[in-house]
Amino acid sequence: MVYRRIVAAVALQRYLDFTPIAVRIRDLAALLARACGASLTILSIDAPVELLPGVETTADKLECLCEPLRAAGMEVAVVVREGRPSKTICELVAELGADLLVIGTHSKRGPIDVGLGSTASALERELGATVLLVRPTPAEQEAARELMIPRYPLVFPYG
């Protein structure tokens, strides 16, 4: 199958820097977009909570995450939205007519989330587009824990 519109969803809002899984999702989505000649949109969901003073906004982080792709000559659209991740991601995929979503699975915050993560699990049920789930390695999970903003409220998990 040749994909025409790809959306990659990355979690940035609760971390001091990009997590290895966010970078891997970006790079995989870019590789697929180049191979298929598809457009690429990278999405992050922002939480309406106060971050640490001096911490970049989610929009700033998303722009920085996409900079290497743009420097390589790739056109990348960035979108920051607020809301429940599974609902917001589904809305954007439908709005863009995307036929592929690349998203991470990693939260393991509770017994329900141990398999895929609550957002990835919900997307699997609700989305008509193909969903490519990127599972982090134990080292990537540890790196993400080390990058988490201290005392960040547990609002929602997604890759």
Side-chain angles (χ1 to χ4, degrees):
M1 175 174 199
V2 176
Y3 298 105
R4 294 288 165 221
R5 291 178 190 84
I6 298 172
V7 171
V10 293
L12 301 175
Q13 77 288 346
R14 66 179 186 240
Y15 299 104
L16 294 168
D17 200 356
F18 314 134
T19 62
I21 192 67
V23 172
R24 193 152 55 98
I25 290 166
R26 175 202 66 194
D27 293 347
L28 180 58
L31 178 69
L32 292 168
R34 282 188 188 114
C36 295
S39 67
L40 176 59
T41 300
I42 300 184
L43 164 71
S44 193
I45 309 297
D46 201 9
V49 296
E50 195 69 29
L51 297 178
L52 295 173
V55 173
E56 294 174 300
T57 66
T58 301
D60 293 338
K61 289 180 191 176
L62 190 55
E63 288 294 335
C64 289
L65 181 72
C66 293
E67 184 53 39
L69 301 180
R70 291 181 175 141
M74 187 170 192
E75 284 189 37
V76 181
V78 296
V79 176
V80 176
R81 300 247 172 114
E82 285 188 9
R84 196 175 100 237
S86 59
K87 181 177 187 279
T88 305
I89 292 167
C90 285
E91 288 171 354
L92 182 69
V93 167
E95 177 184 316
L96 297 176
D99 42 17
L100 177 65
L101 170 67
V102 182
I103 189 168
T105 65
H106 77 299
S107 68
K108 295 185 183 179
R109 291 180 188 267
I112 296 172
D113 297 341
V114 169
L116 292 175
S118 61
T119 299
S121 180
L123 289 171
E124 184 180 53
R125 292 186 308 270
E126 298 173 20
L127 201 57
T130 300
V131 179
L132 177 58
L133 300 172
V134 181
R135 187 176 303 276
T137 65
E140 288 171 331
Q141 288 177 326
E142 180 58 32
R145 277 191 289 279
E146 291 172 8
L147 291 169
M148 189 171 277
I149 294 172
R151 295 181 306 280
Y152 187 88
L154 297 179
V155 178
F156 50 76
Y158 77 105

